[in-house]
Amino acid sequence: MSARDIPMSQWPSTHEFVIPVADGPDTVTVTIDGREAQVPRGELLIKAAQERGTYIPRFCWHERMKPVGMCRMCLVEVEGMRGLQISCATPVTDGMVVHTQSAGVKKVQDGVLEFLLINHPLDCPVCDRGGECPLQDQTLAFGPGESRYVEEKRHWAKPIPLSELVMLDRERCIQCGRCTRFAGEIAGDPLIDFGARGAATEVITYPGEPFSSHFAGNTVQICPVGALTASPYRFRARPWDLATVETSCETCAVQCRGALQSSSNRLVRLLGVDSEPVNHGWLCDKGRYALEWVHSPNRIVHPMIRKNGELVEASWPEALDAAADGLRQVLDLHGPQSVAALGGARGTNEDQYVWTRFLKGVLRTDNVDAQLGDGLPAEVVLGLPHATIADLDRARAIVLVAPDLKQELPVLYLRVRRAAVDLDVPLIDCSSRDDGLTKYATAVLRHGPGEQAAAVEKLVHALDGATPDDDAVRRGADAISGRDGDIVVILGRPSVAEPADATVLAAAALSGLPNVRFLSALRRGNVHGALDLGLAPGFLPGRVTLEAGSAGFIDAWGAVPEARGLDATGILQAASQGKIRALVLHGCDPIADFPDRTLARDAFDKIGFHVAVGAFLTDSSRHADVVLPCSLWGEKPGSATNIEGRVQRLGQKVSPEGPVMSDWRIASELAARFGDDFDLESVEEIQDEIARVAPAYSGITARLLALARDGAVVPIAEHPDEIVVTSRPGASSDLSWEPIQVGASQEGDPASSGPTAAVEAATGAATTLQPGLAAPEGGDHIQAAAAAAEELAATVTTETGAPPELYRWDRQVEAWVPPPRDAYALRLVTGRELYDGGRIVRETPSLAPLARGCVLLVNRADRDRIGVPDGGEVKVTTARGSRVFPVRADVAIPPGVGFLAINQPGAPSHPGGMPAGPSDLIDVDAPITDLRVESIR
């Protein structure tokens, strides 16, 4: 957890916050309470003091928001300046002498706290903030001890729902403005404000507009009192009842850092942790509250096998034997090419590696895909030059060729918005409809569905010197020209109603520009780890192709597939033709998630033997012959890889409520029944094996993951500066000590900067480990961390021969042109919304009501042409069939386009129970999906 979110009683001693900074033109000398320090020029006084061991009380200040100086709690005395200064709005200057505990400061602190408590209710025993309330802590530490005021406290109706997830107790509010400022400054959703005046001032929403931000839960976390509370957590626990572990959220592929808390073996809360390279402490509400699904009463906790046409409970040995026997029989009769596997994107890296080893090394099938036909080809994702999330802040420009990030990767949306709004990075939005980032874009390259490649090529030509005839292209090119840095492209499928071809063509065009790097906008929790570790056709673990890596993996595993296999679409097409005889499902539901539901259902009707590994019975796994229950996030340790290739730790906080197994252990047990002993007994052993055999993950050992504060971006030889080692002997707390950067020494570093050691990754590139400056007096923690860093260097050093070269995409693609438009039809665009009918939302009671159902969104002109009002029903027809949907006009949709959110709850479209949606209308073999829409009278 970041220091600002830690109760004062838990703050470390002063010397633990000493951060040595070299003298230079970018630093100034300040003296705080008699101690001299070197501080970055222009840093706010409150932050400079905090990071050097002096806590200045505050309520309104938050490190990630602009200072406003509202609460006056942070006043300090600065020699040579008249009166007391607001430390949260005062930058340091050279020679500044500051007193934070003088008699004048103490008197003001007493007064501010006494004033705040005039009307503040003394209901701490029933307040959710009790025990972790900054107002409580600062009253005890800095307050007068008694009050001269005896007025009656406020008695207002409570709680007031600001939204389905956030409740307001108005009488507790101290008007610090953190919530309203976050909503406007950070989230861009100014849906709450202050109303009334004086003692009647309160947080309000606007008529007809609830606080329906995707990030509302952050206002609860940063509220310094109990004015805002989360309805899922309200009255659930007390902080002293909770045990905490730091982890990464796996609801989407950004993998925000969080503190996962439990009580009585149940997950009760996830708090954002301030990770500088990833999430800045923010979470989306889906990630924050989705932990409820782990304890769903609908979970499967016992293995099941099919007997007499019905799935019945069985013992683990019986179920594993049945799964192995069924797979062996198909292999013996039809060979490895008749076996396939789908899924794995929500498992840990360790799960994914062991399953890849089982599927490709034991079963020797390459018909494996962690994606479900709704992503990008693995060769594009793995072979493009990767950017980091932090690259957005210093980019030459950001180009969006992706779905709506606010809906699919919400905290990445926050980072892009920050870059565009606060850091003046040009944002080029290449999309077929308005999305959450369109209003912040420097230029909007509007195009028809499936035509993004043509729009991008115009921009590329303009950057190459051609004169564009499009004003938007000209604005974009002018904004980019003359700036330094990399162009960061966020690349994803804008719509699964069309194939990936147009997006791949756009990527090929953009990758030809100099200094371009990519972030792939794939949404599933650990899909990037799955692709990295071989759950894709044609690849082996570590971003190497089957062809390039076969020799090494045969040595490590004993066998690999003989030829490249099929992706998800190819697997389902082959299954519908009777060519895939056995299918393993790993935590996925193709009938719900594959874009072409007709094909998926037909495939499952034809598959002869089906093994499902998962935690729930889905529309797909109900077809299974064997069901093997697995543990979920929060129930198992491990690691995961996010969109930038950052490998981070996952923490285990609770034990599964039943005899379920970790996914990797299931794969290992199946392998043993084929006579192959993996000899892997722990997550740490798997991590070390991955580091040993997977080239891109060389050096990502269990030891490194245990010490690296923010994980490591792979391959570490290309990103040495991303590794920051922390050490706290004898504890595995979320509170870390002195950071020690692992990276090349910076030019001009003093010779006395401490011991260095070469860290040689298996990729052959040498980097340098920089443990930091000599420890000050009493700074044994820094010496301990330096020693840990030296040990780390020895751990990750390897002397192996040259590994296979990491895959690089050759940009060879076939030309693809969408068919001409039909003047009488709407062209379909599909995408996901944050709250959908997927398993996580469906099994989370707090979130399930937020899924709005499937509604056809059209331009107002198209709605009027069809002749129906908002909310009226229309019949939508494609070559796949017809479905009925309500329709609504939306200003974000251009003429000639219809938008349907995929996988939304609603009326069942067939006896199987799945709600009608765009998957019922899409044919994956069609280049585009056109809709015929007619009113129902």
PDB file of all heavy atoms in Angstrom, residues 747-759:
ATOM      1  N   GLU A 747      24.914   8.027 -16.627  1.00  0.00           N
ATOM      2  CA  GLU A 747      26.111   8.817 -16.848  1.00  0.00           C
ATOM      3  C   GLU A 747      26.193   9.919 -15.796  1.00  0.00           C
ATOM      4  O   GLU A 747      25.232  10.622 -15.519  1.00  0.00           O
ATOM      5  CB  GLU A 747      26.079   9.440 -18.242  1.00  0.00           C
ATOM      6  CG  GLU A 747      27.351  10.195 -18.587  1.00  0.00           C
ATOM      7  CD  GLU A 747      27.301  10.725 -19.998  1.00  0.00           C
ATOM      8  OE1 GLU A 747      26.332  10.408 -20.702  1.00  0.00           O
ATOM      9  OE2 GLU A 747      28.227  11.445 -20.375  1.00  0.00           O
ATOM     10  N   GLY A 748      27.378  10.021 -15.159  1.00  0.00           N
ATOM     11  CA  GLY A 748      27.564  11.049 -14.153  1.00  0.00           C
ATOM     12  C   GLY A 748      27.339  10.574 -12.742  1.00  0.00           C
ATOM     13  O   GLY A 748      27.488  11.333 -11.797  1.00  0.00           O
ATOM     14  N   ASP A 749      26.934   9.296 -12.549  1.00  0.00           N
ATOM     15  CA  ASP A 749      26.774   8.785 -11.203  1.00  0.00           C
ATOM     16  C   ASP A 749      28.110   8.840 -10.481  1.00  0.00           C
ATOM     17  O   ASP A 749      29.157   8.525 -11.050  1.00  0.00           O
ATOM     18  CB  ASP A 749      26.278   7.331 -11.224  1.00  0.00           C
ATOM     19  CG  ASP A 749      24.780   7.284 -11.439  1.00  0.00           C
ATOM     20  OD1 ASP A 749      24.159   8.354 -11.412  1.00  0.00           O
ATOM     21  OD2 ASP A 749      24.251   6.180 -11.616  1.00  0.00           O
ATOM     22  N   PRO A 750      28.113   9.197  -9.201  1.00  0.00           N
ATOM     23  CA  PRO A 750      29.365   9.238  -8.465  1.00  0.00           C
ATOM     24  C   PRO A 750      29.949   7.854  -8.306  1.00  0.00           C
ATOM     25  O   PRO A 750      29.245   6.862  -8.264  1.00  0.00           O
ATOM     26  CB  PRO A 750      28.950   9.830  -7.109  1.00  0.00           C
ATOM     27  CG  PRO A 750      27.498   9.524  -6.982  1.00  0.00           C
ATOM     28  CD  PRO A 750      26.948   9.569  -8.371  1.00  0.00           C
ATOM     29  N   ALA A 751      31.272   7.811  -8.219  1.00  0.00           N
ATOM     30  CA  ALA A 751      31.952   6.520  -8.107  1.00  0.00           C
ATOM     31  C   ALA A 751      31.606   5.823  -6.811  1.00  0.00           C
ATOM     32  O   ALA A 751      31.726   4.603  -6.700  1.00  0.00           O
ATOM     33  CB  ALA A 751      33.461   6.730  -8.198  1.00  0.00           C
ATOM     34  N   SER A 752      31.147   6.589  -5.813  1.00  0.00           N
ATOM     35  CA  SER A 752      30.835   5.986  -4.515  1.00  0.00           C
ATOM     36  C   SER A 752      29.410   5.493  -4.426  1.00  0.00           C
ATOM     37  O   SER A 752      28.863   5.356  -3.352  1.00  0.00           O
ATOM     38  CB  SER A 752      31.064   7.031  -3.417  1.00  0.00           C
ATOM     39  OG  SER A 752      30.210   8.149  -3.638  1.00  0.00           O
ATOM     40  N   SER A 753      28.816   5.237  -5.577  1.00  0.00           N
ATOM     41  CA  SER A 753      27.397   4.902  -5.576  1.00  0.00           C
ATOM     42  C   SER A 753      27.108   3.483  -5.160  1.00  0.00           C
ATOM     43  O   SER A 753      25.993   3.027  -5.283  1.00  0.00           O
ATOM     44  CB  SER A 753      26.807   5.150  -6.973  1.00  0.00           C
ATOM     45  OG  SER A 753      27.460   4.333  -7.919  1.00  0.00           O
ATOM     46  N   GLY A 754      28.092   2.752  -4.662  1.00  0.00           N
ATOM     47  CA  GLY A 754      27.802   1.447  -4.108  1.00  0.00           C
ATOM     48  C   GLY A 754      28.214   0.336  -5.024  1.00  0.00           C
ATOM     49  O   GLY A 754      28.679   0.542  -6.144  1.00  0.00           O
ATOM     50  N   PRO A 755      28.045  -0.895  -4.574  1.00  0.00           N
ATOM     51  CA  PRO A 755      28.470  -2.045  -5.348  1.00  0.00           C
ATOM     52  C   PRO A 755      27.601  -2.240  -6.574  1.00  0.00           C
ATOM     53  O   PRO A 755      26.420  -1.932  -6.577  1.00  0.00           O
ATOM     54  CB  PRO A 755      28.292  -3.204  -4.360  1.00  0.00           C
ATOM     55  CG  PRO A 755      27.243  -2.729  -3.428  1.00  0.00           C
ATOM     56  CD  PRO A 755      27.432  -1.260  -3.289  1.00  0.00           C
ATOM     57  N   THR A 756      28.197  -2.700  -7.644  1.00  0.00           N
ATOM     58  CA  THR A 756      27.458  -3.032  -8.853  1.00  0.00           C
ATOM     59  C   THR A 756      27.763  -4.462  -9.236  1.00  0.00           C
ATOM     60  O   THR A 756      28.771  -5.020  -8.857  1.00  0.00           O
ATOM     61  CB  THR A 756      27.843  -2.114 -10.021  1.00  0.00           C
ATOM     62  OG1 THR A 756      29.231  -2.272 -10.287  1.00  0.00           O
ATOM     63  CG2 THR A 756      27.564  -0.656  -9.677  1.00  0.00           C
ATOM     64  N   ALA A 757      26.886  -5.050  -9.997  1.00  0.00           N
ATOM     65  CA  ALA A 757      27.089  -6.425 -10.440  1.00  0.00           C
ATOM     66  C   ALA A 757      26.418  -6.610 -11.781  1.00  0.00           C
ATOM     67  O   ALA A 757      25.347  -6.060 -12.035  1.00  0.00           O
ATOM     68  CB  ALA A 757      26.511  -7.417  -9.427  1.00  0.00           C
ATOM     69  N   ALA A 758      27.027  -7.357 -12.660  1.00  0.00           N
ATOM     70  CA  ALA A 758      26.441  -7.614 -13.969  1.00  0.00           C
ATOM     71  C   ALA A 758      25.295  -8.588 -13.839  1.00  0.00           C
ATOM     72  O   ALA A 758      25.366  -9.560 -13.129  1.00  0.00           O
ATOM     73  CB  ALA A 758      27.494  -8.182 -14.911  1.00  0.00           C
ATOM     74  N   VAL A 759      24.219  -8.308 -14.523  1.00  0.00           N
ATOM     75  CA  VAL A 759      23.077  -9.211 -14.578  1.00  0.00           C
ATOM     76  C   VAL A 759      22.953  -9.643 -16.019  1.00  0.00           C
ATOM     77  O   VAL A 759      22.523  -8.871 -16.865  1.00  0.00           O
ATOM     78  CB  VAL A 759      21.783  -8.503 -14.124  1.00  0.00           C
ATOM     79  CG1 VAL A 759      20.610  -9.462 -14.203  1.00  0.00           C
ATOM     80  CG2 VAL A 759      21.938  -7.989 -12.713  1.00  0.00           C
TER      81      VAL A 759
END
